[in-house]
Amino acid sequence: MADPLLLRIRCATVGAPDVDAVAGLYAKWLGYREIERTQIDATTAASWGAPAMVGRPSVLLQPVNKLDVYLRVVGIDAVQNFRTLTTWGWGAIEILVDDPYKTHKKLADS
């Protein structure tokens, strides 16, 4: 059997009309911290097959434990009449935590 080509995902990207608001929520509720703020360059946009993303804002977040896993929030136009699970793309990001019960309790009022 061949070794798997994908061993782990080191960065997930989330599109949001308000990059600062989304980055702030990950910081407030899950302890992520901002490590980079930039704009999407032409090389990155081309690698995504999304040339219209050039110049969009981007914030790179890292968990408080400083592991080499990241969350990137990029600016997109607001999607009018958005309904979950009706568009292409991933609908969720799985985040591993040390204590799911403690995290659940913390997120109860989020």
Side-chain angles (χ1 to χ4, degrees):
M1 180 188 298
D3 289 337
L5 297 177
L6 179 62
L7 300 176
R8 62 187 281 226
I9 296 173
R10 295 181 70 180
C11 185
T13 300
V14 174
D18 188 338
V19 170
D20 292 327
V22 172
L25 290 169
Y26 275 94
K28 178 179 180 176
W29 296 105
L30 294 172
Y32 276 70
R33 63 184 185 88
E34 181 180 319
I35 60 168
E36 180 181 270
R37 181 174 289 266
T38 187
Q39 293 181 333
I40 303 300
D41 62 36
T43 302
T44 301
S47 75
W48 294 343
M53 290 299 293
V54 172
R56 298 287 184 134
S58 174
V59 174
L60 189 65
L61 304 169
Q62 184 178 37
V64 69
N65 61 13
K66 298 185 181 181
L67 289 176
D68 63 340
V69 294
Y70 306 94
L71 178 67
R72 179 189 300 118
V73 184
V74 297
I76 63 169
D77 295 332
V79 178
Q80 299 301 316
N81 302 315
F82 175 77
R83 288 182 21 229
T84 190
L85 301 177
T86 62
T87 61
W88 294 101
W90 291 52
I93 298 170
E94 182 175 304
I95 298 175
L96 302 178
V97 298
D98 289 329
D99 187 338
Y101 298 105
K102 181 178 177 182
T103 303
H104 176 266
K105 186 174 182 179
K106 180 178 181 178
L107 293 176
D109 292 326
S110 67

XYZ file of all heavy atoms in Angstrom:
850
model
N 0.837 -1.169 0.000
C 0.000 0.000 0.000
C 0.895 1.250 0.000
O 1.870 1.315 0.733
C -0.914 0.012 1.227
C -1.794 1.228 1.262
S -2.748 1.479 2.772
C -3.785 0.067 2.837
N 0.547 2.217 -0.798
C 1.312 3.461 -0.891
C 1.059 4.342 0.328
O -0.018 4.304 0.930
C 0.924 4.212 -2.153
N 2.072 5.107 0.683
C 1.906 6.069 1.773
C 0.901 7.133 1.352
O 0.844 7.522 0.177
C 3.239 6.743 2.101
C 4.214 5.799 2.793
O 3.753 4.813 3.399
O 5.425 6.050 2.718
N 0.119 7.652 2.301
C -0.850 8.696 1.952
C -0.128 9.965 1.495
O 0.954 10.293 1.988
C -1.612 8.930 3.253
C -0.736 8.405 4.327
C 0.097 7.310 3.712
N -0.720 10.680 0.559
C -0.142 11.924 0.073
C -0.436 13.090 1.002
O 0.332 14.034 1.094
C -0.673 12.236 -1.332
C -0.309 11.208 -2.407
C -0.948 11.584 -3.737
C 1.200 11.099 -2.551
N -1.549 13.022 1.698
C -1.928 14.088 2.621
C -1.812 13.563 4.044
O -2.515 12.635 4.435
C -3.368 14.538 2.352
C -3.912 15.639 3.250
C -3.104 16.919 3.092
C -5.377 15.893 2.927
N -0.911 14.140 4.812
C -0.706 13.689 6.180
C -1.431 14.567 7.195
O -1.932 14.084 8.185
C 0.788 13.651 6.502
C 1.608 12.708 5.615
C 3.090 12.816 5.960
C 1.127 11.281 5.759
N -1.459 15.858 6.958
C -2.146 16.760 7.867
C -2.420 18.074 7.165
O -1.738 18.444 6.228
C -1.355 16.997 9.140
C -0.010 17.649 8.924
C 0.803 17.720 10.198
N 0.336 18.809 11.021
C 1.134 19.684 11.618
N 2.431 19.576 11.512
N 0.639 20.650 12.333
N -3.408 18.760 7.643
C -3.738 20.082 7.110
C -3.146 21.102 8.067
O -3.423 21.074 9.265
C -5.264 20.253 6.981
C -5.796 19.255 5.954
C -5.613 21.684 6.596
C -7.296 19.200 5.853
N -2.313 21.981 7.542
C -1.631 22.953 8.397
C -2.286 24.316 8.388
O -1.999 25.138 9.247
C -0.175 23.078 7.981
C 0.562 21.761 8.237
C 1.981 21.820 7.866
N 2.685 22.682 8.803
C 3.978 22.933 8.721
N 4.687 22.394 7.776
N 4.553 23.730 9.584
N -3.167 24.549 7.417
C -3.822 25.853 7.363
C -5.187 25.690 6.710
O -5.309 25.057 5.673
C -2.972 26.840 6.572
S -3.635 28.520 6.571
N -6.181 26.254 7.336
C -7.524 26.322 6.755
C -7.798 27.785 6.416
O -7.351 28.686 7.134
C -8.563 25.807 7.744
N -8.510 28.001 5.332
C -8.827 29.362 4.906
C -10.331 29.576 4.958
O -11.097 28.743 4.478
C -8.300 29.619 3.479
O -6.880 29.441 3.476
C -8.631 31.025 3.011
N -10.724 30.692 5.559
C -12.122 31.059 5.703
C -12.330 32.383 4.978
O -11.558 33.329 5.184
C -12.497 31.233 7.193
C -13.905 31.751 7.350
C -12.292 29.935 7.946
N -13.358 32.455 4.146
C -13.707 33.709 3.496
C -14.759 34.433 4.306
O -15.714 33.817 4.781
N -14.575 35.746 4.487
C -15.520 36.532 5.286
C -15.562 37.971 4.778
O -14.520 38.530 4.451
C -15.103 36.514 6.750
N -16.757 38.568 4.740
C -16.843 39.974 4.345
C -16.146 40.914 5.339
O -15.650 41.950 4.953
C -18.345 40.260 4.316
C -19.000 38.937 4.256
C -18.069 37.964 4.913
N -16.095 40.529 6.617
C -15.463 41.354 7.646
C -14.349 40.542 8.310
O -14.576 39.819 9.292
C -16.508 41.798 8.676
C -15.970 42.820 9.662
O -14.733 42.898 9.854
O -16.793 43.536 10.255
N -13.155 40.658 7.760
C -11.995 39.886 8.229
C -11.717 40.165 9.703
O -11.461 39.244 10.482
C -10.765 40.207 7.348
C -9.495 39.642 7.935
C -10.982 39.686 5.937
N -11.771 41.436 10.093
C -11.467 41.788 11.483
C -12.458 41.173 12.464
O -12.075 40.700 13.536
C -11.430 43.307 11.661
C -10.254 43.935 10.935
O -9.194 43.298 10.844
O -10.407 45.079 10.464
N -13.738 41.173 12.106
C -14.755 40.603 12.997
C -14.535 39.109 13.189
O -14.582 38.606 14.318
C -16.154 40.861 12.447
N -14.269 38.392 12.109
C -14.070 36.936 12.209
C -12.790 36.627 12.970
O -12.778 35.774 13.865
C -14.081 36.289 10.813
C -13.679 34.824 10.891
C -15.465 36.428 10.184
N -11.703 37.331 12.667
C -10.451 37.114 13.399
C -10.651 37.404 14.884
O -10.146 36.673 15.744
C -9.347 37.993 12.819
N -11.416 38.443 15.198
C -11.690 38.781 16.591
C -12.471 37.705 17.321
O -12.233 37.439 18.500
N -13.408 37.068 16.635
C -14.181 35.999 17.266
C -13.313 34.772 17.557
O -13.444 34.151 18.618
C -15.369 35.617 16.383
C -16.463 36.676 16.307
C -17.470 36.333 15.213
C -17.152 36.844 17.654
N -12.432 34.417 16.626
C -11.525 33.291 16.897
C -10.592 33.625 18.060
O -10.253 32.756 18.861
C -10.728 32.913 15.644
C -11.473 31.963 14.754
C -12.251 32.416 13.700
C -11.426 30.592 14.977
C -12.948 31.538 12.890
C -12.124 29.705 14.171
C -12.878 30.184 13.134
O -13.577 29.314 12.334
N -10.179 34.877 18.161
C -9.326 35.293 19.285
C -10.103 35.240 20.600
O -9.630 34.678 21.592
C -8.787 36.702 19.031
N -11.297 35.813 20.601
C -12.092 35.892 21.837
C -12.503 34.520 22.350
O -12.382 34.232 23.546
C -13.337 36.734 21.571
C -14.265 36.834 22.764
C -15.465 37.707 22.462
C -16.382 37.805 23.679
N -17.505 38.717 23.422
N -13.005 33.670 21.477
C -13.619 32.422 21.929
C -12.687 31.211 21.910
O -12.902 30.260 22.661
C -14.873 32.128 21.120
C -15.905 33.167 21.352
C -16.273 34.169 20.509
C -16.694 33.341 22.536
N -17.237 34.960 21.086
C -17.521 34.466 22.332
C -16.790 32.656 23.734
C -18.421 34.921 23.282
C -17.686 33.105 24.683
C -18.492 34.226 24.453
N -11.661 31.237 21.069
C -10.780 30.067 20.987
C -9.312 30.393 21.246
O -8.457 29.518 21.148
C -10.925 29.396 19.606
C -12.297 28.774 19.365
C -12.422 28.300 17.915
C -12.552 27.616 20.314
N -9.014 31.643 21.578
C -7.654 31.995 21.971
C -6.666 32.112 20.822
O -5.456 32.116 21.057
N -7.145 32.238 19.602
C -6.213 32.420 18.486
C -5.607 33.816 18.557
O -6.207 34.741 19.081
C -6.947 32.241 17.152
C -7.071 30.803 16.734
C -7.910 29.935 17.416
C -6.341 30.302 15.673
C -8.024 28.607 17.047
C -6.443 28.977 15.285
C -7.289 28.131 15.985
O -7.388 26.825 15.620
N -4.397 33.954 18.012
C -3.756 35.263 17.974
C -3.311 35.571 16.556
O -2.934 34.672 15.790
C -2.579 35.329 18.941
C -1.464 34.376 18.612
C -0.364 34.426 19.675
N 0.741 33.595 19.261
C 1.752 34.001 18.504
N 1.818 35.240 18.104
N 2.715 33.171 18.155
N -3.374 36.829 16.221
C -2.970 37.276 14.890
C -1.453 37.248 14.789
O -0.767 37.794 15.651
C -3.482 38.690 14.650
C -3.140 39.245 13.291
C -3.666 40.642 13.080
O -4.817 40.928 13.489
O -2.926 41.455 12.507
N -0.931 36.624 13.722
C 0.513 36.620 13.524
C 0.927 37.304 12.224
O 2.103 37.591 12.034
C 1.105 35.198 13.595
C 0.514 34.296 12.531
C 0.929 34.605 14.974
C 1.264 32.979 12.379
N -0.055 37.557 11.354
C 0.283 38.247 10.106
C -0.970 38.905 9.539
O -2.055 38.332 9.583
C 0.846 37.249 9.086
C 1.220 37.866 7.757
C 1.748 36.835 6.786
O 2.974 36.615 6.793
O 0.935 36.248 6.048
N -0.789 40.095 9.012
C -1.869 40.804 8.334
C -1.293 41.281 7.008
O -0.259 41.946 6.980
C -2.332 41.989 9.173
C -3.473 42.776 8.562
C -3.963 43.831 9.525
N -4.661 43.220 10.637
C -5.973 43.028 10.698
N -6.743 43.401 9.691
N -6.524 42.467 11.753
N -1.948 40.914 5.929
C -1.422 41.239 4.614
C -2.566 41.319 3.612
O -3.737 41.263 3.985
C -0.377 40.174 4.187
O 0.255 40.593 2.983
C -1.001 38.811 3.991
N -2.210 41.438 2.347
C -3.173 41.351 1.256
C -2.767 40.170 0.383
O -1.573 39.855 0.260
C -3.183 42.636 0.432
C -3.723 43.817 1.203
C -3.750 45.066 0.355
O -2.983 45.234 -0.583
N -4.651 45.970 0.687
N -3.751 39.529 -0.218
C -3.467 38.375 -1.074
C -2.685 38.839 -2.297
O -3.098 39.768 -2.991
C -4.787 37.674 -1.506
C -5.596 37.242 -0.284
C -4.501 36.505 -2.436
C -4.899 36.262 0.631
N -1.542 38.195 -2.521
C -0.719 38.554 -3.677
C -1.090 37.711 -4.901
O -1.858 36.747 -4.793
C 0.773 38.428 -3.352
C 1.202 37.014 -2.985
O 0.673 36.036 -3.552
O 2.089 36.885 -2.127
N -0.541 38.090 -6.033
C -0.902 37.431 -7.295
C -0.498 35.959 -7.308
O -1.227 35.118 -7.843
C -0.259 38.165 -8.469
N 0.626 35.621 -6.706
C 1.083 34.228 -6.696
C 0.121 33.352 -5.892
O -0.254 32.262 -6.332
C 2.508 34.128 -6.099
O 3.386 34.945 -6.873
C 2.993 32.695 -6.078
N -0.286 33.826 -4.724
C -1.219 33.061 -3.890
C -2.565 32.927 -4.592
O -3.138 31.836 -4.662
C -1.386 33.726 -2.519
O -0.113 33.802 -1.879
C -2.359 32.961 -1.646
N -3.070 34.026 -5.123
C -4.358 33.988 -5.820
C -4.312 33.018 -7.002
O -5.254 32.246 -7.216
C -4.745 35.388 -6.290
N -3.221 33.019 -7.735
C -3.080 32.099 -8.872
C -3.046 30.651 -8.402
O -3.634 29.770 -9.029
C -1.826 32.433 -9.662
N -2.383 30.389 -7.261
C -2.311 29.012 -6.761
C -3.690 28.503 -6.346
O -3.937 27.302 -6.336
C -1.329 28.902 -5.592
O -1.875 29.452 -4.406
N -4.583 29.418 -5.992
C -5.956 29.060 -5.633
C -6.863 29.005 -6.856
O -8.024 28.610 -6.742
C -6.546 30.078 -4.664
C -5.923 30.154 -3.315
C -5.118 29.245 -2.713
C -6.075 31.222 -2.380
N -4.754 29.671 -1.466
C -5.334 30.893 -1.234
C -6.757 32.428 -2.394
C -5.249 31.714 -0.118
C -6.679 33.254 -1.282
C -5.932 32.894 -0.159
N -6.369 29.456 -8.006
C -7.226 29.557 -9.182
C -8.258 30.656 -9.012
O -9.366 30.567 -9.536
N -7.903 31.685 -8.249
C -8.841 32.755 -7.914
C -8.181 34.116 -8.117
O -7.880 34.829 -7.146
C -9.314 32.589 -6.477
N -7.931 34.509 -9.368
C -7.210 35.766 -9.616
C -7.900 37.007 -9.071
O -7.235 38.003 -8.765
C -7.095 35.816 -11.143
C -8.164 34.910 -11.654
C -8.334 33.838 -10.605
N -9.200 36.975 -8.878
C -9.920 38.142 -8.347
C -9.623 38.385 -6.863
O -10.026 39.411 -6.313
C -11.420 37.983 -8.569
N -8.923 37.464 -6.206
C -8.583 37.633 -4.787
C -7.383 38.547 -4.576
O -7.114 38.964 -3.448
C -8.317 36.274 -4.136
C -9.547 35.402 -3.972
S -10.819 36.134 -2.922
C -10.010 36.133 -1.326
N -6.669 38.900 -5.639
C -5.502 39.769 -5.497
C -5.912 41.075 -4.821
O -6.894 41.711 -5.206
C -4.853 40.062 -6.874
C -3.765 41.122 -6.747
C -4.285 38.791 -7.474
N -5.172 41.439 -3.785
C -5.419 42.678 -3.062
C -6.416 42.567 -1.921
O -6.592 43.519 -1.155
N -7.072 41.414 -1.783
C -8.029 41.248 -0.684
C -7.277 41.145 0.643
O -6.171 40.610 0.714
C -8.872 39.985 -0.878
C -9.722 39.960 -2.112
C -10.914 40.894 -1.961
N -11.787 40.804 -3.104
C -13.096 40.703 -3.048
N -13.717 40.667 -1.876
N -13.811 40.639 -4.147
N -7.886 41.622 1.743
C -7.222 41.525 3.047
C -7.136 40.082 3.526
O -7.987 39.256 3.193
C -8.127 42.349 3.963
C -9.465 42.324 3.306
C -9.198 42.254 1.822
N -6.103 39.826 4.308
C -5.885 38.488 4.846
C -5.256 38.604 6.231
O -4.340 39.398 6.439
C -4.948 37.710 3.917
O -4.606 36.461 4.461
N -5.773 37.807 7.160
C -5.209 37.741 8.506
C -4.881 36.282 8.793
O -5.718 35.401 8.588
C -6.203 38.279 9.565
C -5.667 38.076 10.963
C -6.498 39.745 9.317
N -3.665 36.024 9.238
C -3.243 34.675 9.596
C -3.266 34.557 11.117
O -2.688 35.391 11.826
C -1.835 34.392 9.061
C -1.355 32.955 9.169
C -2.205 32.026 8.302
C 0.118 32.858 8.768
N -3.958 33.535 11.607
C -4.115 33.310 13.046
C -3.441 32.004 13.442
O -3.382 31.063 12.658
C -5.598 33.236 13.404
C -6.460 34.429 13.007
C -7.932 34.098 13.172
C -6.087 35.641 13.820
N -2.994 31.951 14.683
C -2.351 30.757 15.239
C -2.960 30.484 16.613
O -3.257 31.426 17.355
C -0.849 31.000 15.364
C -0.057 29.801 15.841
C 1.438 30.106 15.892
O 1.846 31.214 16.238
N 2.241 29.134 15.535
N -3.124 29.212 16.966
C -3.658 28.926 18.302
C -2.690 29.371 19.391
O -1.494 29.514 19.162
C -3.847 27.404 18.302
C -3.011 26.890 17.192
C -2.834 28.006 16.209
N -3.232 29.570 20.573
C -2.452 30.072 21.700
C -1.272 29.155 22.047
O -0.261 29.613 22.562
C -3.366 30.326 22.918
C -3.884 29.029 23.497
C -2.676 31.161 23.960
N -1.385 27.856 21.746
C -0.297 26.929 22.062
C 0.859 27.018 21.071
O 1.851 26.318 21.213
C -0.809 25.491 22.153
C -1.410 25.007 20.843
O -1.250 25.618 19.791
N -2.127 23.902 20.914
N 0.731 27.861 20.057
C 1.775 28.141 19.060
C 2.159 26.934 18.213
O 3.243 26.886 17.644
C 3.004 28.759 19.716
C 2.722 30.089 20.371
C 3.972 30.725 20.913
C 3.617 32.046 21.579
N 4.806 32.701 22.107
N 1.273 25.955 18.107
C 1.530 24.846 17.194
C 1.551 25.366 15.765
O 1.005 26.426 15.465
C 0.466 23.757 17.348
C 0.515 22.957 18.634
C -0.667 21.984 18.697
C 1.828 22.197 18.740
N 2.180 24.620 14.872
C 2.288 25.066 13.486
C 1.045 24.675 12.668
O 1.117 24.015 11.643
C 3.567 24.538 12.842
C 3.621 23.029 12.743
O 2.878 22.356 13.489
O 4.387 22.510 11.916
N -0.096 25.110 13.162
C -1.364 25.000 12.447
C -1.970 26.398 12.436
O -1.825 27.149 13.401
C -2.337 23.986 13.089
C -1.796 22.582 12.986
C -2.632 24.340 14.525
N -2.623 26.746 11.351
C -3.046 28.127 11.183
C -4.458 28.217 10.619
O -4.962 27.288 10.001
C -2.075 28.850 10.234
C -0.653 28.730 10.688
C 0.167 27.710 10.206
C -0.121 29.613 11.616
C 1.474 27.573 10.636
C 1.190 29.480 12.065
C 1.984 28.464 11.568
O 3.267 28.330 12.013
N -5.036 29.381 10.821
C -6.313 29.719 10.232
C -6.113 31.044 9.507
O -5.629 32.017 10.101
C -7.387 29.867 11.314
C -8.760 30.271 10.822
C -9.375 29.163 9.982
C -9.664 30.613 11.978
N -6.456 31.051 8.230
C -6.349 32.274 7.435
C -7.757 32.785 7.160
O -8.612 32.035 6.687
C -5.643 31.990 6.114
C -5.526 33.214 5.219
C -5.029 32.880 3.816
N -3.720 32.275 3.809
C -3.476 31.031 3.352
N -4.432 30.265 2.894
N -2.256 30.567 3.339
N -8.002 34.045 7.453
C -9.283 34.676 7.148
C -9.029 35.661 6.012
O -8.166 36.536 6.133
C -9.867 35.413 8.371
C -11.236 35.980 8.037
C -9.945 34.500 9.582
N -9.749 35.490 4.909
C -9.567 36.362 3.750
C -10.870 37.095 3.443
O -11.963 36.573 3.656
C -9.087 35.587 2.502
C -7.726 34.967 2.741
C -10.080 34.543 2.079
N -10.720 38.298 2.943
C -11.880 39.115 2.616
C -12.571 38.665 1.339
O -11.912 38.425 0.330
N -13.870 38.542 1.417
C -14.692 38.236 0.245
C -15.891 39.186 0.234
O -16.179 39.834 1.237
C -15.192 36.774 0.228
C -16.097 36.492 1.434
C -14.025 35.789 0.165
C -16.851 35.169 1.358
N -16.553 39.260 -0.894
C -17.798 40.024 -0.960
C -18.877 39.262 -0.190
O -18.888 38.029 -0.187
C -18.245 40.208 -2.406
C -17.269 41.058 -3.216
O -16.579 41.908 -2.610
O -17.186 40.854 -4.434
N -19.763 40.010 0.435
C -20.887 39.384 1.139
C -21.725 38.592 0.141
O -21.919 39.021 -1.001
C -21.738 40.440 1.822
N -22.184 37.429 0.556
C -23.035 36.586 -0.282
C -24.482 36.873 0.090
O -24.915 36.588 1.212
C -22.699 35.090 -0.084
C -23.626 34.225 -0.920
C -21.236 34.827 -0.425
N -25.217 37.458 -0.835
C -26.614 37.799 -0.578
C -27.457 36.526 -0.456
O -27.253 35.578 -1.203
C -27.157 38.690 -1.694
C -26.426 40.011 -1.826
C -26.477 40.846 -0.553
O -27.516 40.978 0.081
N -25.330 41.394 -0.166
N -28.364 36.525 0.484
C -29.289 35.400 0.692
C -28.571 34.078 0.925
O -29.042 33.024 0.493
C -30.263 35.278 -0.487
C -31.051 36.547 -0.702
O -31.554 37.135 0.241
N -31.125 36.991 -1.940
N -27.424 34.116 1.597
C -26.651 32.896 1.849
C -27.456 31.901 2.679
O -28.110 32.269 3.651
C -25.359 33.232 2.602
C -24.579 32.011 2.992
C -23.828 31.329 2.072
C -24.633 31.532 4.292
C -23.114 30.200 2.428
C -23.930 30.398 4.663
C -23.165 29.728 3.716
N -27.409 30.659 2.272
C -28.009 29.556 3.039
C -26.949 28.476 3.179
O -26.387 28.024 2.180
C -29.245 29.003 2.317
C -30.425 29.969 2.385
C -31.708 29.450 1.733
N -31.766 28.017 1.586
C -32.103 27.387 0.441
N -32.410 28.066 -0.632
N -32.148 26.080 0.394
N -26.694 28.066 4.396
C -25.659 27.076 4.652
C -25.916 25.774 3.897
O -27.058 25.405 3.635
C -25.515 26.828 6.167
O -24.357 26.042 6.395
C -26.718 26.135 6.741
N -24.839 25.100 3.547
C -24.849 23.806 2.857
C -25.501 23.851 1.477
O -25.992 22.848 0.984
C -25.516 22.729 3.728
C -24.868 22.498 5.091
C -25.655 21.467 5.883
C -23.415 22.072 4.953
N -25.496 25.021 0.841
C -26.074 25.128 -0.500
C -25.060 25.643 -1.515
O -25.423 25.941 -2.643
C -27.298 26.064 -0.504
O -26.887 27.373 -0.108
C -28.391 25.547 0.411
N -23.792 25.765 -1.113
C -22.764 26.247 -2.024
C -21.575 25.291 -2.023
O -21.449 24.434 -1.148
C -22.272 27.649 -1.612
O -21.709 27.569 -0.304
C -23.405 28.658 -1.617
N -20.702 25.473 -3.002
C -19.489 24.663 -3.079
C -18.538 25.037 -1.949
O -18.555 26.149 -1.447
C -18.779 24.890 -4.420
C -19.563 24.398 -5.585
C -20.310 25.166 -6.435
C -19.710 23.051 -6.008
N -20.909 24.381 -7.379
C -20.558 23.058 -7.144
C -19.226 21.835 -5.557
C -20.907 21.915 -7.824
C -19.579 20.691 -6.247
C -20.399 20.737 -7.349
N -17.703 24.113 -1.571
C -16.682 24.388 -0.562
C -16.945 23.642 0.727
O -17.961 22.993 0.897
N -15.997 23.754 1.634
C -16.095 23.101 2.925
C -17.083 23.860 3.789
O -17.133 25.077 3.764
C -14.733 23.074 3.593
C -13.748 22.183 2.925
C -13.419 22.189 1.601
C -12.958 21.172 3.515
N -12.476 21.246 1.350
C -12.161 20.602 2.501
C -12.831 20.697 4.804
C -11.256 19.580 2.748
C -11.927 19.675 5.043
C -11.163 19.127 4.023
N -17.855 23.150 4.579
C -18.840 23.782 5.440
C -18.412 23.869 6.885
O -19.138 24.408 7.709
N -17.228 23.356 7.218
C -16.793 23.367 8.616
C -15.282 23.157 8.685
O -14.671 22.664 7.743
C -17.491 22.254 9.395
N -14.721 23.545 9.803
C -13.313 23.287 10.104
C -13.287 22.531 11.428
O -13.931 22.935 12.393
C -12.516 24.593 10.261
C -12.532 25.389 8.967
C -11.085 24.305 10.701
C -11.973 26.776 9.118
N -12.564 21.445 11.462
C -12.430 20.691 12.696
C -11.226 21.216 13.465
O -10.115 21.287 12.936
C -12.219 19.214 12.381
C -12.127 18.346 13.604
C -12.037 16.875 13.247
O -12.921 16.370 12.545
O -11.054 16.235 13.675
N -11.463 21.631 14.696
C -10.397 22.145 15.556
C -10.285 21.229 16.759
O -11.264 21.011 17.474
C -10.691 23.600 16.003
C -10.750 24.511 14.776
C -9.647 24.070 17.002
C -11.151 25.925 15.081
N -9.101 20.693 16.981
C -8.872 19.805 18.114
C -8.570 20.630 19.364
O -7.828 21.605 19.299
C -7.707 18.861 17.830
C -7.868 17.982 16.587
C -6.632 17.130 16.378
C -9.104 17.121 16.692
N -9.144 20.239 20.478
C -8.924 20.932 21.746
C -8.530 19.910 22.812
O -8.848 18.733 22.701
C -10.179 21.713 22.198
C -10.533 22.799 21.188
C -11.364 20.798 22.418
N -7.840 20.384 23.833
C -7.410 19.494 24.920
C -8.584 19.015 25.767
O -8.610 17.870 26.194
C -6.391 20.194 25.825
C -5.054 20.385 25.145
O -4.677 19.547 24.302
O -4.380 21.389 25.448
N -9.533 19.892 26.019
C -10.648 19.563 26.898
C -11.960 19.978 26.239
O -12.390 21.131 26.370
C -10.470 20.273 28.242
C -11.500 19.855 29.277
O -12.589 19.356 28.897
O -11.220 20.042 30.481
N -12.614 19.070 25.510
C -13.848 19.438 24.806
C -14.961 19.914 25.727
O -15.743 20.788 25.360
C -14.264 18.168 24.073
C -13.253 17.141 24.354
C -12.221 17.708 25.270
N -15.040 19.379 26.947
C -16.087 19.797 27.870
C -15.874 21.242 28.325
O -16.812 22.028 28.399
C -16.159 18.844 29.061
C -16.509 17.440 28.647
C -15.547 16.448 28.622
C -17.796 17.124 28.226
C -15.864 15.158 28.209
C -18.125 15.849 27.811
C -17.149 14.870 27.799
O -17.470 13.606 27.376
N -14.638 21.584 28.627
C -14.315 22.952 29.018
C -14.567 23.914 27.853
O -15.120 24.998 28.044
C -12.847 23.030 29.452
C -12.406 24.392 29.906
C -10.949 24.346 30.355
C -10.461 25.717 30.754
N -9.037 25.676 31.141
N -14.194 23.496 26.645
C -14.415 24.337 25.464
C -15.908 24.515 25.209
O -16.367 25.617 24.911
C -13.712 23.736 24.234
O -12.314 23.595 24.528
C -13.896 24.610 23.011
N -16.673 23.447 25.356
C -18.125 23.531 25.168
C -18.726 24.527 26.159
O -19.557 25.371 25.791
C -18.764 22.158 25.344
C -20.252 22.195 25.247
N -21.059 22.303 26.353
C -21.079 22.167 24.179
C -22.326 22.332 25.961
N -22.357 22.246 24.658
N -18.304 24.443 27.395
C -18.822 25.353 28.424
C -18.472 26.807 28.078
O -19.314 27.703 28.205
C -18.252 24.970 29.789
C -18.833 25.756 30.929
C -18.330 25.209 32.256
C -18.971 25.981 33.407
N -18.538 25.477 34.698
N -17.229 27.035 27.638
C -16.796 28.380 27.270
C -17.611 28.908 26.085
O -17.984 30.081 26.053
C -15.316 28.389 26.931
C -14.803 29.749 26.538
C -13.325 29.745 26.256
C -12.867 31.144 25.885
N -11.428 31.199 25.648
N -17.910 28.044 25.124
C -18.617 28.473 23.922
C -20.128 28.561 24.096
O -20.825 29.047 23.212
C -18.294 27.529 22.757
C -16.853 27.570 22.257
C -16.649 26.512 21.178
C -16.477 28.945 21.762
N -20.640 28.117 25.219
C -22.097 28.090 25.442
C -22.731 29.466 25.266
O -23.860 29.577 24.793
C -22.409 27.532 26.815
N -22.014 30.513 25.620
C -22.563 31.865 25.502
C -22.033 32.612 24.274
O -22.210 33.816 24.157
C -22.233 32.679 26.765
C -22.963 32.151 27.979
O -24.109 31.675 27.825
O -22.380 32.207 29.076
N -21.412 31.871 23.395
C -20.860 32.545 22.203
C -21.970 32.790 21.213
O -21.897 33.498 20.298
C -19.768 31.708 21.560
O -20.264 30.518 21.000
